């Protein structure tokens, strides 16, 4: 799967996200500080990754900044993106299942290597719910 990845600095798990995605057989498209020729700031980097998802160049995205908050805010400004800030595996599973999140936001400050692996395990294991009420919520997002 092609996955757009951005980080505003190469600290914490920034490089580990790319390495872990590759290890799992995915094809990361890197942005921000992970790229040699892009502006690294969180708003610009997260927007680029989110646009990859919204415009079909990537199936999913992972956006990272120090807290993960700014990255998730920027990504969610792009129409069609549902970015979820996840600090643990249960939240990642729920974000995929109930929110049909297509972009994972991570904190570079507080995500350990072990948590990263658990979060990615849960993220990729879960799929969107087919429950009519859950689908109605997702459909409503397009109307907001």
């Amino acid at each position: 799967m092609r996955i757009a990845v951005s980080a505003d600095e190469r600290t914490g798990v920034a490089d580990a996200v790319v390495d872990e995605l590759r290890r799992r057989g995915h094809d990361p498209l890197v942005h921000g500080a992970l790229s040699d020729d892009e502006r690294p700031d969180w708003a610009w980097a997260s927007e680029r990754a989110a646009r990859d998802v919204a415009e079909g160049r990537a199936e999913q995205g992972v956006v990272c900044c120090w807290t993960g908050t700014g990255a998730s805010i920027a990504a969610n400004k792009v129409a069609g993106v549902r970015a979820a800030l996840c600090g643990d595996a249960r939240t990642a599973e729920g974000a995929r299942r109930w929110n049909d999140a297509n972009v994972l936001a991570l904190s570079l400050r507080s995500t350990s290597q072990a948590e990263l692996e658990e979060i990615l395990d849960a993220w990729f294991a879960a799929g969107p719910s087919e429950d009519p009420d859950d689908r109605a919520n997702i459909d409503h997002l397009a109307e907001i």
Side-chain angles (χ1 to χ4, degrees):
M1 178 185 319
R2 269 199 132 160
I3 301 176
V5 183
S6 69
D8 63 345
E9 57 183 320
R10 291 181 97 151
T11 190
V13 294
D15 290 308
V17 170
V18 174
D19 294 341
E20 186 62 26
L21 291 173
R22 283 192 180 118
R23 189 184 71 73
R24 293 167 183 251
H26 300 293
D27 180 18
L29 302 173
V30 297
H31 295 291
L34 301 171
S35 173
D36 292 333
D37 58 352
E38 289 185 10
R39 185 173 179 159
D41 304 272
W42 58 266
W44 282 265
S46 299
E47 177 192 8
R48 294 209 44 155
R51 288 202 186 283
D52 279 347
V53 174
E55 295 170 8
R57 289 183 295 276
E59 295 168 72
Q60 295 183 10
V62 180
V63 295
C64 308
C65 70
W66 189 243
T67 65
T69 305
S72 66
I73 291 169
N76 277 316
K77 291 290 188 178
V78 177
V81 168
R82 292 173 305 282
L85 175 56
C86 299
D88 59 73
R90 295 286 291 159
T91 303
E93 177 187 7
R96 287 287 299 134
R97 184 173 322 285
W98 298 306
N99 310 124
D100 195 8
N102 53 10
V103 173
L104 170 64
L106 295 172
S107 167
L108 294 174
R109 180 191 66 79
S110 64
T111 307
S112 70
Q113 178 69 36
E115 288 170 322
L116 171 64
E117 292 173 20
E118 292 170 1
I119 289 167
L120 292 176
D121 286 345
W123 181 266
F124 291 122
S129 170
E130 294 302 323
D131 179 89
D133 290 335
D134 294 335
R135 295 310 315 160
N137 276 296
I138 302 309
D139 293 342
H140 184 66
L141 292 175
E143 299 169 8
I144 296 175

